[in-house]
Amino acid sequence: PSRLIGRTLELHLYHDRIVGYLAHQVVVELPRIRATDKQKRRARCINYRHVIEGLRRKPRAFLYCTWQQDLLPNDEYRQLWEHLKAHYDLDSAALLMVEALYIAATQDKEGAVAHYLHTQLDAKTLTLVGLQEHFQLLQRPPIRQVNVTQHELSSYDQLLSPRVSDTPAQPLPEPQSLPQATTPLPHAGAVGGPRTTGDAGRMVARPILAGTVRIGGATPLEYPTQARPQRGPTAKRKNPLQL
């Protein structure tokens, strides 16, 4: 709570326990553990109830936790953990154990959860959904009964029988003939003639009647014939690069 932020937690050490006081009120009490192994300098006392909320969000962290054995509340749960690893893959075993610890912490049913795990493991029917449903963490909505009335199949007969209309059917209009295309005008002959191998680089012109031009079959138009001027000799140009 916000009213407790900033206050100091006072720990009282006893020969068999550690008691924490906050504003003269006992808020935590843990057993005092002493190291019995000569190789260990210190012993740990970890209550899984203090970390189970965060551990449930990331259950795979239980696999690689350094305090894995200290998180399990007693030897019975340590034995259950070994059975889970033997019958399930590691991810599924960690998920089942973390969920079981969460139920034991939130509902204060540590013994009941352990008994349920033993029973389901012996029957080989332990599942995560079954564990949650048994302790009412997962409640499935009741199946709603729906009554359906089957309609008469005779109603489909009107789709199979031909439909009789009150008005007579109108005849389809006759297809209209497409307009005939106009007669194309004759084209004049080609101005240029076919080339031969020796005609490269020049154009061979075909002579045209200079005095008569026929347009669309009309009366020929007469044009006066003009004399073609004669060209004089052209001086040969010198190549400036030629010496």
Side-chain angles (χ1 to χ4, degrees), residues 63-216:
L63 295 174
Y64 310 103
C65 181
T66 308
W67 311 323
Q68 184 188 96
Q69 295 298 319
D70 298 319
L71 284 173
L72 299 173
N74 49 44
D75 292 337
E76 184 179 12
Y77 273 86
R78 297 184 182 94
Q79 184 181 3
L80 285 171
W81 172 238
E82 296 298 328
H83 290 339
L84 289 174
K85 290 191 296 183
H87 292 84
Y88 298 90
D89 58 278
L90 290 179
D91 291 343
S92 301
L95 187 61
L96 286 169
M97 178 54 68
V98 170
E99 192 69 14
L101 293 176
Y102 175 79
I103 296 173
T106 55
Q107 299 185 14
D108 196 18
K109 296 180 179 180
E110 192 173 289
V113 173
H115 177 73
Y116 177 82
L117 293 179
H118 277 299
T119 304
Q120 295 298 316
L121 282 173
D122 294 340
K124 298 181 179 180
T125 57
L126 178 61
T127 61
L128 179 63
V129 177
L131 175 65
Q132 293 173 341
E133 287 183 347
H134 182 77
F135 291 96
Q136 299 180 356
L137 283 184
L138 182 63
Q139 296 182 359
R140 294 183 177 181
I143 300 176
R144 183 179 178 182
Q145 187 70 22
V146 179
N147 297 325
V148 179
T149 304
Q150 180 64 36
H151 60 279
E152 296 293 337
L153 298 180
S154 59
S155 59
Y156 291 103
D157 294 342
Q158 59 181 353
L159 300 177
L160 302 178
S161 60
R163 183 177 180 181
V164 180
S165 178
D166 298 335
T167 59
Q170 298 294 335
L172 296 177
E174 294 292 335
Q176 299 179 0
S177 59
L178 297 176
Q180 297 182 357
T182 58
T183 305
L185 298 176
H187 297 281
V191 177
R195 293 185 178 182
T196 61
T197 307
D199 296 334
R202 63 188 182 88
M203 179 178 179
V204 179
R206 178 176 296 178
I208 305 176
L209 295 178
T212 305
V213 178
R214 183 180 299 275
I215 300 176

Side-chain angles (χ1 to χ4, degrees), residues 48-59 98 101-102 105-106:
Y48 67 93
R49 295 178 176 86
H50 300 161
V51 296
I52 194 59
E53 291 287 348
L55 192 61
R56 190 175 184 236
R57 290 192 290 267
K58 295 183 178 180
V98 170
L101 293 176
Y102 175 79
T106 55

